[in-house]
Amino acid sequence: MQLKELSSRSGVSGASIKFYLREGLLPPGSTAASPRADYGEGHLRRLELIKTLRKVVRLGLDQIKAVTAGIEDPGLDDVALMGRVQALVLDLAEEPVPDHPLLAGLVGSGRWTDAPSQARNSLNLLLYRMDELGVPADAAVLAAYAQAVDQVAALDIGSVEQAGSRDDLAAAVAVGTHLYSQLLLKMLAVAQASRAMRG
Amino acid sequence: MQLKELSSRSGVSGASIKFYLREGLLPPGSTAASPRADYGEGHLRRLELIKTLRKVVRLGLDQIKAVTAGIEDPGLDDVALMGRVQALVLDLAEEPVPDHPLLAGLVGSGRWTDAPSQARNSLNLLLYRMDELGVPADAAVLAAYAQAVDQVAALDIGSVEQAGSRDDLAAAVAVGTHLYSQLLLKMLAVAQASRAMRG
DNA sequence: CGGATAGGATAGTGTAACTATCCCATATGG
DNA sequence: CCATATGGGATAGTTACACTATCCTATCCG
């Protein structure tokens, strides 16, 4: 398939496809047969992925590039890829952050594993940030949050049933992570509004 | 105080202050005494509010304008102002949305009040959106989320102890809403990562 | 063989949020 | 009382992001 057909089938303009090629989000088509590139189903899936990450998950092109780079990295297995996608969607921190006293308390109580993770780095960063902003997190609130999120985590939504490709896998994880985060926040807003109106 | 001093005291450039004046985020200074405007502590507080909403809460100028308009609207009492600020931070929907079957179920069970709210509109919008995207929310997950957020809502973090001004009130609500939302999400990520690593 | 692409290079568009320049009236210090 | 700095308005320029459009030449296909 050539550019025009890829464009009409994907709903992405030819100019944008060229742009994504330049940016390295979309791999070049095969030029084996002739100097005119030949695109396949993989390119179509990639464009769908890009559209989803842009419009649904609202990632920037840099973050999308990190996703597609992961998809194309054979040294990254599917589980690691899913971790990277989740980290990008949730804006988790790469670099290690020493534990905040409040988190140290939660971990010390045996609730969570002591292993470092990007999620933990980000939570520590946030707790320090709250201190700096003069809105330190309340220990009681933190304990309640911990209990609540443990219940939620026990459900293990993350079961993405077999995706056909790494592009689809990445899309499913990104969309699921994003939407269920939103769901939690909106439900909390409803619960709080409900309480406020009752009492 | 004149522009130069307002600028140095607030850390906002003179050009930006002029820009905020043009955009109507910052009220004009008094020109009663002389044609050179005189700014006061209120202008300083307003600039702090704008800085906080931009850098911490990451609102756009349009949303900030909605906040400042609310602050200056005498027909809006403090409670209504707090609601508006929260709605802007959480990106809640103004227009009514008919209940989604899943939410109707939760409300029907007596968990939450039946009264409409912006939070409820947004949740309904999200549930419909998830259906459209082919990722319908799972009833069991929703029930678990409901229980979790009810625990959290019971804490009632929203107690902003007396703010000195409506600007400070808006800033406190915006920052609190934003940071505690982030806290919930990051803690969920930690809980999930912890589970994943254990088993 | 000729009109329609492909692909590369380059430049333009629109939005958001500033930032810088000009200008002139005025205010203030010497 | 006058010169210079400053305020405020208007206007234009800048940066970042994500495209979008135009040119050009080589080439493919009917």
Side-chain angles (χ1 to χ4, degrees), chain B:
Chain B
M1 165 177 25
Q2 289 190 326
L3 195 138
K4 202 141 213 190
E5 189 183 347
L6 185 60
S7 168
S8 65
R9 280 228 269 162
S10 64
V12 176
S13 76
S16 292
I17 291 176
K18 282 190 186 182
F19 174 69
Y20 293 147
L21 284 166
R22 280 201 299 283
E23 295 293 310
L25 300 187
L26 188 64
S30 143
T31 49
S34 89
R36 338 271 305 233
D38 182 58
Y39 305 102
E41 300 302 313
H43 292 89
L44 219 47
R45 273 196 299 272
R46 175 58 54 85
L47 286 175
E48 283 305 317
L49 171 64
I50 294 172
K51 276 208 293 184
T52 300
L53 295 183
R54 286 278 310 125
K55 292 179 198 307
V56 178
V57 190
R58 306 191 154 274
L59 293 187
L61 290 196
D62 283 357
Q63 281 137 305
I64 296 179
K65 201 166 176 180
V67 172
T68 57
I71 289 172
E72 267 140 40
D73 181 353
L76 208 66
D77 66 14
D78 284 3
V79 173
L81 174 61
M82 290 169 69
R84 180 188 282 204
V85 171
Q86 237 182 74
L88 284 164
V89 172
L90 297 177
D91 193 26
L92 302 185
E94 299 269 347
E95 76 287 7
V97 179
D99 270 354
H100 186 283
L102 282 172
L103 178 56
L106 284 175
V107 173
S109 70
R111 177 179 294 284
W112 291 330
T113 67
D114 202 29
S117 66
Q118 293 191 350
R120 186 142 164 208
N121 297 339
S122 303
L123 178 53
N124 278 311
L125 269 184
L126 179 61
L127 291 171
Y128 286 123
R129 212 159 121 66
M130 290 176 78
D131 289 345
E132 280 167 24
L133 289 169
V135 195
D138 181 272
V141 171
L142 218 67
Y145 275 30
Q147 214 184 328
V149 298
D150 260 358
Q151 284 172 32
V152 168
L155 288 169
D156 213 23
I157 305 158
S159 60
V160 177
E161 41 256 51
Q162 75 289 342
S165 65
R166 274 160 76 88
D167 281 77
D168 290 349
L169 179 66
V173 171
V175 167
T177 302
H178 175 72
L179 291 179
Y180 276 93
S181 295
Q182 290 297 308
L183 188 58
L184 187 60
L185 291 182
K186 301 295 187 205
M187 285 187 70
L188 177 58
V190 170
Q192 284 172 340
S194 187
R195 283 213 142 242
M197 282 188 288
R198 272 204 185 140

Side-chain angles (χ1 to χ4, degrees), chain A residues 25-74:
Chain A
L25 300 186
L26 187 64
S30 144
T31 49
S34 88
R36 336 272 303 232
D38 182 58
Y39 305 101
E41 299 302 314
H43 292 89
L44 218 47
R45 272 195 300 271
R46 174 59 52 87
L47 286 176
E48 283 307 317
L49 171 65
I50 294 172
K51 276 207 293 185
T52 300
L53 294 183
R54 287 278 310 128
K55 293 181 197 307
V56 178
V57 191
R58 307 191 155 274
L59 293 186
L61 290 196
D62 282 358
Q63 280 137 303
I64 296 178
K65 202 168 177 179
V67 172
T68 58
I71 290 173
E72 267 141 39
D73 181 355

Side-chain angles (χ1 to χ4, degrees), chain A residues 106-197:
Chain A
L106 284 175
V107 173
S109 71
R111 177 181 293 284
W112 293 331
T113 68
D114 202 28
S117 66
Q118 293 192 349
R120 185 136 165 216
N121 296 339
S122 303
L123 178 52
N124 278 311
L125 269 184
L126 179 60
L127 291 171
Y128 286 123
R129 212 158 120 68
M130 290 176 78
D131 289 345
E132 280 166 26
L133 289 169
V135 195
D138 183 273
V141 171
L142 217 68
Y145 274 30
Q147 215 184 326
V149 297
D150 260 359
Q151 285 173 30
V152 168
L155 289 170
D156 213 24
I157 304 157
S159 62
V160 177
E161 40 256 50
Q162 77 288 338
S165 65
R166 275 159 76 86
D167 281 76
D168 290 349
L169 179 65
V173 170
V175 167
T177 301
H178 175 72
L179 290 179
Y180 276 93
S181 294
Q182 290 297 308
L183 188 57
L184 186 61
L185 290 183
K186 302 294 188 207
M187 285 185 71
L188 177 57
V190 170
Q192 283 173 341
S194 187
R195 284 214 142 239
M197 281 187 289

